[in-house]
Amino acid sequence: MVTAGAQGREVLWTRDSLQSKDMPEIEINETERQARYNPAEIEPKWQARWDADPKLYAAEGHDSGKPKFYCLEMLPYPSGQLHMGHVRNYSIGDALARFMWMRGHNVLHPMGWDAFGLPAENAALKNNTPPREWTLQNIAAMKKQMRRMGLSYDWSTEVTTCLPDYYRWNQWFFLQMYEKDLAYRKKSKVNWCPDCQTVLANEQVVNGRCWRHEDTIVEQRDLTQWFLRITKYADELLDGLEKLDGWPEKVRTMQRNWIGRSEGALVNFAVAGETGTENKEREDCSKITVFTTRVDTIYGATSVQLAPEHAVAKAFASEDAELAAKIEALLEEQKKARESDDFGAIEKHGVNTGRFAINPFNGERVPIWVGNYILADYGTGAIMSVPAHDERDFEFAQKYGLPVRRVIAAEQGDQPELPFTAEENAVLINSREWDGLRCIEAQQKMAAFAKQNGFGEPTVTYRLKDWGVSRQRYWGTPIPMVYCENGHDSPEPGKPRVEPGGVVALPESALPVLLPDSIAITQEGGSPLGKVPEFLHTTCPVCGGPARRETDTMDTFVDSSWYFYRYTDAKDEAAPFASDKANYWFPIDQYIGGVEHAILHLIYSRFWTKVMRDLGMITNDEPAERLFTQGMVIKDGAKMSKSKGNVVSPDDMIARYGADATRMYALFAAPPDRDLEWQEEGVAGISRFLGRVYRLVTKYAETTRKAGIPRLASRTITDQALLRTLHQTIAKITLDFSGRWHFNTSIAAIMSLVNEIVAAETAIDAEQASPVAVAEIIRNLILLLAPFAPFFAAEMWEQIGEEGVVFRTPWPVADEELARENEIEIPVQVNGKLVNVIRVPAESDEAAIKRAALADEKVKARVEGKNVVKVIVVPGKLVNLVVK
RNA sequence: GCCCGGAUGGUGAAAUCGGCAGACACAGCGGACUUAAAAUCCGCAGACCUUAACCGGUCGUGGGGGUUCAAGUCCCCCUCCGGGCACCA
């Protein structure tokens, strides 16, 4: 078999028949030989043809009989300009999608727009253009750029998240979640970005700063907000990572850290002198609940440490002005530290409250301190301090002269110096009836004991917090809730009355809640929607009385949490998507994007998938089977940015060298997972390479056209050599596509093949090659280039007289027989040093190779007069003679 | 501090399973073609030593040690760069 496409029309030619008169001769077209590769002409020509065929890249039906392949690149924010990072991302995805098509898969390769978000509002302020208009213009511009790049998207499934036919389903999901108690409202401390004028999710705060404003310190505000209960899925999100072996380890580790599961125990310390019942006005201070992962060390606790914001600390402070001032100072230190880049480095400070807590295990009275290193938002905001077995506690105890008591000892051998934290091979001491137990065992037994006796319990805490989705911005999905001014009970049975107005979920029939179009965007605080009376004022769907709409909009990460499901059924007006369609395409076979979304989009969308599964909409547990995170595009050693002035515009590159050369360079310059240094000379080099191929193909186009693709029965030496390289190249590239994706080496292999053909031109022109072999080589060369340079391949395909669509032509299959070498080169080493390279028949066995190596003159000279101690022969690889 | 990457010629990189280090390009140099240039084609090209030249030799994948007939690749220690997490109890 020559190519899969040749099946069924095999003709056997012989050398004799080739020489007969009616057989094609090698033809060289002198005018075409002069032809120059001109992407500026070729690319728009094919773009126009492809644009005219909306079905060209459309996926086939579920009954196509082909295996499905869902190839997805992360959808962009429509800034109005593609940057090189996009070009790289899409070049990778497009090569893969085209390859999978050629391999006979039913491919879904969609694109869309993450179109809500703050930049549209900022642009509106600056240019006085409504966000909607600005966004839609940008989408049009970027779509044009994508078409110019020749990307194989099925635009019939395009998703634009800022349009009501999409965002209405955000609202629908919100109502579903509200009903299932996965969406709820609560007052809490939230992150506020003064620049964005909105609340941010924890995931959007980086080192205490806004993810969009690196210099802006995020403030903490007490606000009532909507949350999605992602923590309900914390364990599943964590455990699921184990099975995601098609995801980069780096991303899995980041998510593991982010979820931050920690097993431990809660233990109540009674506060001496507090009963907790006598004063209703005062916070209940009768006990302090600490969280610890090392309850086995509790006999070594020599103080209890509270966060400066702990309720008990506040209560104590309210009765003691001096203490209050000190605690306030600790809080300030902590806040400052959290805003700085190295939070871990600040010096520990504390203040003794003068009060005591009682250790429920041994009844010991220990002092209650407030420490600047205790965080209110982790665990319970209170810890037991065990200086002997915790480095931080040790440092603190040394500083303030608190006692250090060893309660853990090594099972055998020397006792390690304090503090030591090991739990392996360590046992309890100084812990009464628990003495001698191993740490791990003691942790379980002591937590169970605390539970039995009502002063504690085993527990699990997470770093992951519920996802705050309310945003005090205009350009987002309106949250489909109203506040009834009659303040009646919520219509849901069992749901408590919420004050001041009843919180009422809109019925599905009221969707979509449309975002008003004309609105004055200002920089003032507060939700812009609150200033639009016709939006704000509505009626309660339960009692018909006056009601106010929720004026916050949803975080844009809601939009991107499920967009890829919508692609499978983008026009559905009755549901977000039809289950059977999603179930056919999901999970995504390959998801490709930047690593910057590792704990934002990629954790939210995993959560959303699990919610949809529990709603019975889909059957998959995870959205994407495999994830690939490409490296950054850099220039002069730094990430491209306007401020550094090192931005290379894709439009420029395409104008100068064409889309094919630009795309191919993005794949050639580095393996896709590594950072890529953009060098324009490299793009020029690829352009020259395509020119070389162009001349080659046009020169032999006539030959190729006439010769067709029959099977050769006998071959010249030139035929054999060229076909061997061709089939080795096919095998190599097919392998690269199967997982490693080192397209840089795929393209290098094509270049080598082309170099070899060019070097053989003299022989070919002297008719030392058969037209049939030339035709096979030219034809397959074009097919190999099709995933990387689609415009170019289409043009070349047409020039050799093919009428079909090149990237729907079956991918060539490597013929092992043709690829096999007759003779191979074997390096011969003496004591590990290369001495010579010998040629032996490919099928030579160990003995034959050994004989050939020992017979070699250079080797003989080197071995002369010495003792050959050992001969190592690795067939097909090398020979090493050990001599003394 | 912890976790994940990475370090190979002037540059981007290759070596997929422990087997010829530097494929393929970029930049450079030399030549052919040309009145000339561009384009194209051919060739050279890790460093050092030796030689008139060929030939030949030594060193060489961030540093040090180890395993092996054989190490860019495996093991131990260290340095630097990038990224993530971080008083998380």
Side-chain angles (χ1 to χ4, degrees):
Chain A
M1 188 166 59
V2 179
T3 69
Q7 277 177 294
R9 43 175 177 144
E10 225 170 66
V11 179
L12 289 179
W13 285 23
T14 65
R15 190 64 200 155
D16 286 345
S17 69
L18 276 172
Q19 283 161 351
S20 72
K21 277 193 193 125
D22 52 327
M23 285 300 124
E25 312 234 315
I26 305 264
E27 292 191 31
I28 297 154
N29 181 329
E30 283 303 327
T31 52
E32 279 179 13
R33 184 183 230 172
Q34 305 305 321
R36 291 272 280 274
Y37 167 53
N38 184 6
E41 200 176 295
I42 294 172
E43 296 183 354
K45 166 182 144 188
W46 285 97
Q47 191 199 335
R49 287 204 209 171
W50 296 342
D51 287 352
D53 180 3
K55 286 232 160 25
L56 182 64
Y57 298 122
E60 295 175 27
H62 303 181
D63 52 359
S64 69
K66 296 175 178 177
K68 68 97 183 176
F69 191 87
Y70 189 171
C71 178
L72 183 67
E73 296 115 64
M74 287 181 187
L75 90 176
Y77 177 80
S79 62
Q81 274 288 317
L82 287 186
H83 55 66
M84 278 302 173
H86 292 127
V87 169
R88 190 178 194 196
N89 189 176
Y90 307 149
S91 299
I92 295 166
D94 201 56
L96 181 65
R98 288 178 189 276
F99 174 77
M100 294 313 288
W101 260 311
M102 293 176 82
R103 293 279 279 187
H105 285 70
N106 183 21
V107 178
L108 178 61
H109 191 214
M111 186 39 73
W113 311 99
D114 188 16
F116 271 138
L118 205 47
E121 287 181 65
N122 294 338
L125 268 172
K126 208 170 145 193
N127 316 325
N128 208 23
T129 318
R132 182 187 151 92
E133 202 177 298
W134 182 84
T135 304
L136 294 180
Q137 278 169 6
N138 286 349
I139 288 173
M142 288 174 82
K143 200 164 163 182
K144 201 173 155 195
Q145 287 182 299
M146 288 182 176
R147 291 190 138 135
R148 182 63 189 83
M149 276 184 70
L151 298 169
S152 61
Y153 297 127
D154 176 5
W155 290 108
S156 73
T157 65
E158 181 179 3
V159 165
T160 304
T161 61
C162 67
L163 299 180
D165 68 347
Y166 183 80
Y167 71 70
R168 66 174 298 169
W169 300 113
N170 286 344
Q171 296 170 344
W172 183 87
F173 277 118
F174 191 93
L175 294 177
Q176 300 294 315
M177 290 195 197
Y178 181 70
E179 200 165 299
K180 296 274 185 302
D181 196 34
L182 290 169
Y184 65 95
R185 215 163 95 99
K186 75 169 176 195
K187 184 169 184 172
S188 79
K189 257 195 203 329
V190 291
N191 312 296
W192 175 268
C193 173
D195 272 1
C196 297
Q197 285 285 316
T198 184
V199 159
L200 301 174
N202 291 343
E203 288 78 2
Q204 292 158 354
V205 179
V206 183
N207 281 336
R209 284 141 213 269
C210 172
W211 69 306
R212 307 208 71 116
H213 301 100
E214 279 176 29
D215 300 325
T216 307
I217 287 166
V218 170
E219 299 166 10
Q220 299 295 306
R221 290 197 178 179
D222 273 308
L223 288 171
T224 304
Q225 302 277 298
W226 287 98
F227 288 86
L228 300 184
R229 214 180 286 281
I230 190 170
T231 53
K232 187 185 168 191
Y233 290 91
D235 277 328
E236 206 198 329
L237 287 166
L238 183 68
D239 297 343
L241 292 171
E242 300 308 317
K243 283 171 268 167
L244 285 177
D245 47 16
W247 284 39
E249 190 51 46
K250 180 182 176 149
V251 172
R252 295 200 280 168
T253 308
M254 282 166 74
Q255 292 207 358
R256 237 174 251 132
N257 287 342
W258 187 258
I259 295 166
R261 182 188 152 100
S262 181
E263 279 182 52
L266 297 175
V267 180
N268 300 328
F269 282 61
V271 178
E274 295 275 349
T275 62
T277 51
E278 82 266 25
N279 188 350
K280 296 265 184 228
E281 298 298 304
R282 191 168 171 276
E283 190 76 36
D284 177 3
C285 292
S286 62
K287 67 175 187 198
I288 294 168
T289 304
V290 304
F291 171 70
T292 176
T293 56
R294 294 298 301 272
V295 67
D296 55 317
T297 64
I298 197 164
Y299 283 76
T302 56
S303 67
V304 162
Q305 299 280 340
L306 303 178
E309 292 175 281
H310 194 278
V312 171
K314 278 184 179 166
F316 290 171
S318 70
E319 291 150 9
D320 180 344
E322 202 184 323
L323 182 64
K326 285 181 181 165
I327 291 177
E328 187 56 34
L330 293 174
L331 182 60
E332 278 311 307
E333 282 177 14
Q334 187 176 80
K335 272 190 179 166
K336 275 221 179 89
R338 291 195 105 166
E339 287 159 7
S340 78
D341 284 343
D342 51 346
F343 184 33
I346 70 152
E347 197 176 339
K348 292 173 185 50
H349 285 121
V351 53
N352 190 344
T353 63
R355 309 290 295 264
F356 291 88
I358 294 155
N359 183 336
F361 273 82
N362 57 9
E364 188 178 1
R365 276 164 60 99
V366 294
I368 300 170
W369 284 65
V370 177
N372 66 351
Y373 68 106
I374 310 300
L375 306 173
D377 52 10
Y378 184 80
T380 59
I383 64 157
M384 61 178 201
S385 175
V386 184
H389 305 293
D390 182 283
E391 282 173 30
R392 294 154 300 173
D393 294 346
F394 187 79
E395 188 190 331
F396 192 89
Q398 292 284 303
K399 183 162 182 167
Y400 291 101
L402 293 166
V404 179
R405 188 190 308 143
R406 181 193 288 264
V407 290
I408 304 289
E411 242 175 330
Q412 288 170 340
D414 296 335
Q415 292 308 320
E417 266 187 45
L418 298 181
F420 85 97
T421 55
E423 37 193 310
E424 294 291 319
N425 299 317
V427 294
L428 274 64
I429 58 169
N430 297 329
S431 303
R432 293 191 198 162
E433 68 266 36
W434 309 97
D435 281 357
L437 276 180
R438 283 166 179 255
C439 292
I440 308 283
E441 206 181 339
Q443 281 161 25
Q444 287 165 11
K445 290 191 172 164
M446 292 169 86
F449 179 81
K451 186 167 184 169
Q452 268 166 31
N453 291 279
F455 57 75
E457 61 183 326
T459 191
V460 178
T461 65
Y462 300 90
R463 210 184 91 101
L464 181 73
K465 297 279 182 285
D466 278 338
W467 175 12
V469 293
S470 299
R471 295 292 177 274
Q472 293 70 49
R473 299 304 329 165
Y474 160 68
W475 193 232
T477 304
I479 295 173
M481 305 296 290
V482 300
Y483 303 98
C484 177
E485 281 169 25
N486 290 335
H488 55 70
D489 285 357
S490 173
E492 303 294 329
K495 284 235 168 106
R497 181 191 147 116
V498 189
E499 37 69 48
V503 177
V504 179
L506 287 171
E508 216 179 303
S509 59
L511 302 188
V513 176
L514 290 172
L515 200 55
D517 232 353
S518 51
I519 176 169
I521 306 282
T522 65
Q523 213 147 22
E524 293 159 37
S527 296
L529 288 175
K531 294 166 196 150
V532 184
E534 57 276 27
F535 177 85
L536 181 63
H537 300 296
T538 184
T539 52
C540 171
V542 176
C543 70
R548 290 179 312 112
R549 286 188 194 278
E550 168 66 66
T551 55
D552 285 353
T553 53
M554 295 184 202
D555 183 0
T556 56
F557 279 99
V558 167
D559 310 334
S560 54
S561 288
W562 67 279
Y563 75 101
F564 31 56
Y565 290 91
R566 182 71 178 173
Y567 285 141
T568 66
D569 193 17
K571 304 274 193 288
D572 201 325
E573 287 178 12
F577 52 84
S579 290
D580 62 329
K581 292 186 179 168
N583 285 335
Y584 171 76
W585 286 109
F586 272 79
I588 296 160
D589 292 273
Q590 186 67 59
Y591 198 18
I592 309 163
V595 75
E596 66 272 15
H597 287 109
I599 46 175
L600 285 156
H601 164 58
L602 288 171
I603 209 161
Y604 294 143
S605 55
R606 290 183 63 219
F607 159 66
W608 211 277
T609 289
K610 291 171 196 303
V611 171
M612 292 196 298
R613 178 203 57 200
D614 291 349
L615 289 170
M617 301 172 69
I618 50 171
T619 53
N620 50 301
D621 296 320
E622 294 285 348
E625 184 90 17
R626 283 188 300 276
L627 171 71
F628 188 88
T629 50
Q630 94 256 9
M632 283 189 304
V633 181
I634 57 177
K635 172 88 178 135
D636 308 325
K639 188 176 180 175
M640 287 186 189
S641 74
K642 275 187 198 147
S643 57
K644 291 198 192 79
N646 60 349
V647 175
V648 179
S649 140
D651 282 350
D652 266 14
M653 288 294 125
I654 290 172
R656 243 173 275 179
Y657 306 101
D660 283 327
T662 304
R663 292 173 53 159
M664 232 168 127
Y665 175 74
L667 297 176
F668 177 67
D673 49 347
R674 256 205 249 178
D675 285 354
L676 182 155
E677 168 78 30
W678 195 270
Q679 290 178 321
E680 190 170 334
E681 299 78 19
V683 190
I686 296 286
S687 174
R688 278 199 294 274
F689 165 72
L690 289 174
R692 203 168 151 88
V693 181
Y694 186 89
R695 285 188 298 277
L696 197 62
V697 173
T698 49
K699 180 173 170 185
Y700 297 113
E702 198 57 33
T703 305
T704 305
R705 204 174 305 171
K706 290 194 179 157
I709 44 159
R711 178 67 193 262
L712 260 188
S714 68
R715 302 175 195 93
T716 67
I717 303 286
T718 306
D719 291 348
Q720 280 176 25
L722 290 176
L723 287 170
R724 188 181 306 127
T725 309
L726 170 68
H727 284 274
Q728 286 172 356
T729 308
I730 294 170
K732 197 249 176 307
I733 296 173
T734 308
L735 185 67
D736 279 340
F737 266 110
S738 74
R740 221 173 59 128
W741 290 14
H742 280 200
F743 300 132
N744 51 332
T745 64
S746 306
I747 294 167
I750 300 175
M751 288 173 170
S752 293
L753 172 64
V754 170
N755 289 346
E756 196 175 324
I757 302 170
V758 169
E761 269 186 78
T762 318
I764 295 171
D765 297 349
E767 299 195 12
Q768 287 163 20
S770 43
V772 175
V774 172
E776 180 178 348
I777 289 154
I778 295 295
R779 189 175 188 279
N780 282 303
L781 172 62
I782 297 167
L783 292 175
L784 291 177
L785 281 165
F788 308 115
F791 291 120
F792 181 86
E795 176 69 18
M796 297 294 93
W797 200 239
E798 189 177 65
Q799 288 208 13
I800 64 166
E802 292 281 351
E803 280 166 14
V805 176
V806 63
F807 34 82
R808 289 298 170 90
T809 305
W811 182 254
V813 175
D815 185 324
E816 278 182 46
E817 201 59 46
L818 289 174
R820 182 170 301 142
E821 301 276 358
N822 305 325
E823 248 193 354
I824 52 169
E825 292 190 335
I826 302 273
V828 182
Q829 299 176 334
V830 173
N831 288 343
K833 303 257 180 195
L834 182 70
V835 170
N836 203 4
V837 177
I838 57 171
R839 294 192 67 88
V840 297
E843 66 278 6
S844 305
D845 62 8
E846 234 176 274
I849 295 170
K850 183 173 169 181
R851 244 180 286 123
L854 289 168
D856 182 77
E857 289 304 326
K858 276 191 178 173
V859 174
K860 270 189 191 163
R862 195 60 73 95
V863 172
E864 190 97 79
K866 289 176 183 157
N867 216 359
V868 179
V869 182
K870 200 171 174 187
V871 181
I872 290 138
V873 180
V874 186
K877 292 277 188 190
L878 97 172
V879 178
N880 190 11
L881 306 173
V882 185
V883 302
K884 266 186 187 163

